[in-house]
Amino acid sequence: MTDPILATHNLQKSFGALKATDNVSIDLYPGEIHAIIGPNGAGKSTLIAQICGELKPNAGRIELLGQDVTHTNTLTRAKAGIGRTFQISALAMEDTVLQNVLLGAVGAVGSPWRFLFPVLADKLLYSKANDALKRVGLQGDAARRTSDLSHGQRRQLEVAVALTLEPKAFVMDEPMAGLGAEGSKTLTSFLDGLRDEAPILLVEHDMDAVFALADRISVLVYGQIIETGTVDQIRSSKAVREAYLGSDT
Amino acid sequence: MIRERYLNGLVLVLLLAVPLWALINDQPFTITLATRAAIFALAAVGLNIALGLGGLVSLGHAAFFGIGGYAMGILAYHAQTYTPVMELPFVIEGTKSMPIIWLVAMVTSGTAALLIGLLSLRTTGVYFIMITLAFGQMFYFFSISWIAYGGEDGLSIYIRNDFPGLNTLVPINFFAICFTLLCLVLFINGLVARSPFGLALNAARQAPQRVQTVGLDPQRLKLVAFVLSGVITGLAGALFADLNRFVSPTMFSWQTSGEIMIFVILGGTARLCGPVVGAVVFVMLEHALGGLSEYWHIYLGALLLLVVLFARGGLVGLISGRAVAHD
Ligand SMILES: Nc1ncnc2c1ncn2[C@@H]1O[C@H](COP(=O)(O)OP(=O)(O)O)[C@@H](O)[C@H]1O
Ligand SMILES: [Mg+2]
């Protein structure tokens, strides 16, 4: 078996008395989409924040491409190959859509120390940015101000910025939230193809999307992974049904 | 509404036309006023890079303005007294050459900005304002106690410094120097705003988390912006000292920091020519109202209040509408 691209080992994080991450071990293998589901407040975003280096775990280990990155910061992990999207869009709202993806391209190329050369005249940066916009279907909105975008379009832009980084692993926090049925469908089929470029750790509420996409699903409840398995295993798991999916499934 | 690009052109043409008119009508004092406005504008263009692009609310930019001023004062003082600035470990002579003075002013204020920035950028928000203010005050009190260079009384320089090929004592010539430098720095500022650095800095102000997740360090971007900002304000300080042929601790005072910030906010934060508009309006008010009442700052305060409440893009925003993202 190949090695995982990304893995956590016995990760723990408490906020006061609340165990937001309770001994979580998950991994992400090449070519797969590993979905993390769980009710609101289960600790999904907290887990993602630790994986991306925004929050320090109290205990446990995080590995990226076999390297221990537990004590590195967001910056190092981004450079090492984590492509992250935020649940609450973190975009430069006063900038244009194109500028936001260009930022990704500048980061990917690692060249922010040019002061007198117009960023738009750099063909490499521009084509990287433009490609990413095309892939998520935002090329027609390139010149718009980001704050004028709809909620769903901002989600698409989040994905586009991550694409410019050509990461080793995508880590996405609820990319479908607020997209609407049509948007979810489009993004679902897009992510379906994306897993061949880099595996995706996908936190998602939209169950149709998760069941359509996931190779494996982990169920997080009160900070603990109560089960990991294929779509069918999770669907038929009694524990999961009781804890999370409810009686209607 | 006038497109911002045309407004910028108009403002600069006006700033050039007024002293030319004054030259023809033999009004040297008006030329001096225009020079004062150009220098204030330059100082504020410097702050605008930190404040507008980087979101760094520095209330300590008088430090750089004053360092630039004292760089001029100290070098020219030693030149006019024929004494060396220092003898050990090596001899540094004074100078009356503007280009050398500018270079020294920019290097020293840039170094100060690097050190102040390294310490201040650990904080944000109101703490950043306070720590930059504190650094400015440190320089202020240091200059007061520096008796070798006049202490509280400051330093007078008898003859304006030299620029190759120009008689700098002719007001219009000195105006031309300051105006040219202002245009040059504005041009560079325009390029920087459109560069990869400008793009990243702009994003670091709005969404630092995002900048980190694309593998860039927002703090380092801001630090470089702060240094760039300090260098420009330092250059303006050297010119201001040359305009007055006098430097004193007032250049380091927190009121000076406040005024530089007022130029930026009044004209329009993050707008290329906002600082120019702000400085010009300030000098006009100072001249028109300063004669009528000692308390003319009250009117300035009222205007500032109106702009902050009703025109968030400053006067430039009022005339040209919200900023268009670069094309
Ligand atoms: N910075 C924080 N300080 C204190 N409690 C937090 C913090 N962040 C999250 N929590 C708590 O941790 C739990 C998990 O939150 P979160 O990871 O956002 O859940 P999810 O993304 O699964 O909805 C929640 O109970 C939340 O209130
Ligand atoms: Mg969440």
Side-chain angles (χ1 to χ4, degrees):
Chain A
M1 208 159 139
T2 49
D3 295 325
I5 301 279
L6 187 67
T8 71
H9 301 281
N10 307 103
L11 215 55
Q12 293 190 36
K13 178 76 191 175
S14 303
F15 297 116
L18 177 76
K19 283 185 175 172
T21 306
D22 193 357
N23 223 24
V24 170
S25 301
I26 51 161
D27 44 26
L28 182 68
Y29 283 90
E32 77 165 342
I33 293 181
H34 186 163
I36 299 174
I37 63 173
N40 259 327
K44 304 183 294 295
S45 293
T46 304
L47 176 62
I48 297 291
Q50 290 167 85
I51 290 174
C52 297
E54 290 144 28
L55 269 181
K56 291 232 167 302
N58 298 125
R61 204 152 42 83
I62 301 164
E63 281 178 12
L64 179 63
L65 299 164
Q67 301 281 321
D68 186 338
V69 294
T70 317
H71 302 289
T72 64
N73 59 17
T74 310
L75 210 70
T76 317
R77 286 187 222 186
K79 284 187 195 157
I82 289 186
R84 182 224 215 288
T85 71
F86 290 91
Q87 179 175 5
I88 298 162
S89 299
L91 297 161
M93 287 297 170
E94 297 168 19
D95 288 358
T96 62
V97 169
L98 180 61
Q99 283 173 321
N100 270 284
V101 265
L102 274 170
L103 175 71
V106 169
V109 175
S111 64
W113 306 116
R114 287 182 301 163
F115 298 85
L116 302 177
F117 187 79
V119 67
L120 285 175
D122 186 315
K123 294 220 169 64
L124 174 70
L125 294 181
Y126 183 76
S127 73
K128 259 178 176 298
N130 216 30
D131 285 350
L133 284 183
K134 263 191 207 143
R135 291 185 67 187
V136 301
L138 278 179
Q139 71 272 36
D141 302 288
R144 288 176 69 195
R145 200 179 156 105
T146 304
S147 57
D148 294 341
L149 293 185
S150 71
H151 185 72
Q153 288 170 316
R154 290 180 197 176
R155 319 288 331 164
Q156 288 170 287
L157 182 52
E158 282 272 339
V159 175
V161 178
L163 287 177
T164 60
L165 301 176
E166 294 171 28
K168 301 288 194 300
F170 288 98
V171 177
M172 300 190 176
D173 198 353
E174 305 211 15
M176 316 267 178
L179 272 190
E182 196 57 37
S184 296
K185 227 188 251 169
T186 316
L187 188 56
T188 302
S189 71
F190 178 70
L191 295 185
D192 199 12
L194 191 61
R195 80 181 91 193
D196 297 327
E197 284 170 42
I200 307 172
L201 189 66
L202 176 71
V203 167
E204 189 45 65
H205 246 112
D206 181 338
M207 283 307 141
D208 292 337
V210 168
F211 288 146
L213 283 172
D215 298 292
R216 286 189 299 155
I217 300 175
S218 289
V219 183
L220 194 65
V221 177
Y222 292 122
Q224 286 181 323
I225 301 278
I226 59 166
E227 192 140 355
T228 296
T230 62
V231 171
D232 289 337
Q233 284 168 341
I234 295 298
R235 273 190 151 146
S236 56
S237 156
K238 197 159 163 276
V240 172
R241 222 175 316 166
E242 277 169 9
Y244 178 52
L245 289 177
S247 47
D248 57 328
T249 344
Chain B
M1 296 243 165
I2 310 175
R3 292 266 302 274
E4 189 169 343
R5 196 182 305 183
Y6 299 129
L7 179 67
N8 292 348
L10 188 68
V11 168
L12 290 176
V13 166
L14 273 177
L15 184 54
L16 180 62
V18 167
L20 288 180
W21 170 87
L23 180 69
I24 294 165
N25 292 285
D26 198 24
Q27 306 252 359
F29 182 65
T30 305
I31 300 178
T32 302
L33 280 184
T35 311
R36 186 175 164 85
I39 294 170
F40 280 164
L42 185 63
V45 169
L47 177 61
N48 200 24
I49 289 179
L51 180 63
L53 282 178
L56 302 170
V57 188
S58 163
L59 201 48
H61 260 51
F64 313 126
F65 197 63
I67 287 173
Y70 272 82
M72 176 286 194
I74 291 170
L75 288 171
Y77 170 77
H78 285 284
Q80 79 185 6
T81 55
Y82 301 102
T83 51
V85 178
M86 59 184 226
E87 286 175 298
L88 291 170
F90 43 83
V91 180
I92 295 181
E93 301 284 354
T95 177
K96 299 285 291 179
S97 161
M98 281 191 192
I100 296 175
I101 287 170
W102 298 342
L103 194 68
V104 172
M106 292 194 292
V107 170
T108 46
S109 53
T111 308
L114 178 67
L115 297 176
I116 294 176
L118 273 173
L119 294 166
S120 311
L121 279 167
R122 292 156 183 264
T123 63
T124 54
V126 85
Y127 297 100
F128 183 84
I129 300 177
M130 284 301 130
I131 197 166
T132 50
L133 174 66
F135 276 115
Q137 289 301 92
M138 272 170 53
F139 279 98
Y140 175 72
F141 288 110
F142 179 76
S143 65
I144 282 184
S145 61
W146 206 6
I147 303 301
Y149 295 114
E152 223 171 330
D153 300 331
L155 265 181
S156 284
I157 304 302
Y158 303 128
I159 299 182
R160 188 166 285 152
N161 295 303
D162 306 324
F163 189 85
L166 275 183
N167 180 355
T168 54
L169 281 171
V170 177
I172 196 72
N173 286 351
F174 187 59
F175 172 81
I177 290 173
C178 297
F179 185 75
T180 306
L181 284 174
L182 173 64
C183 290
L184 191 70
V185 169
L186 280 172
F187 179 70
I188 292 172
N189 186 357
L191 287 181
V192 168
R194 286 172 164 75
S195 69
F197 171 76
L199 179 86
L201 177 63
N202 212 359
R205 183 190 75 242
Q206 301 171 57
Q209 250 190 336
R210 161 63 58 201
V211 173
Q212 283 187 331
T213 54
V214 302
L216 301 175
D217 186 344
Q219 290 303 93
R220 202 180 293 179
L221 290 162
K222 287 178 184 176
L223 180 62
V224 171
F226 197 69
V227 171
L228 208 59
S229 171
V231 165
I232 295 170
T233 302
L235 174 63
L239 293 173
F240 190 68
D242 233 329
L243 173 69
N244 302 323
R245 277 169 275 163
F246 176 66
V247 285
S248 77
T250 311
M251 284 184 79
F252 280 120
S253 68
W254 64 267
Q255 287 91 333
T256 301
S257 290
E259 281 178 1
I260 299 173
M261 191 177 288
I262 287 173
F263 306 151
V264 176
I265 295 172
L266 193 60
T269 314
R271 312 302 283 258
L272 184 62
C273 282
V276 184
V277 173
V280 167
V281 169
F282 178 90
V283 170
M284 276 166 34
L285 284 178
E286 182 185 48
H287 177 62
L289 301 174
L292 297 180
S293 156
E294 236 181 289
Y295 303 107
W296 72 276
H297 278 97
I298 294 173
Y299 301 100
L300 176 70
L303 178 65
L304 190 66
L305 203 66
L306 286 176
V307 164
V308 170
L309 286 178
F310 300 110
R312 290 205 51 216
L315 294 172
V316 171
L318 202 62
I319 299 169
S320 290
R322 86 177 182 184
V324 271
H326 298 303
D327 29 48

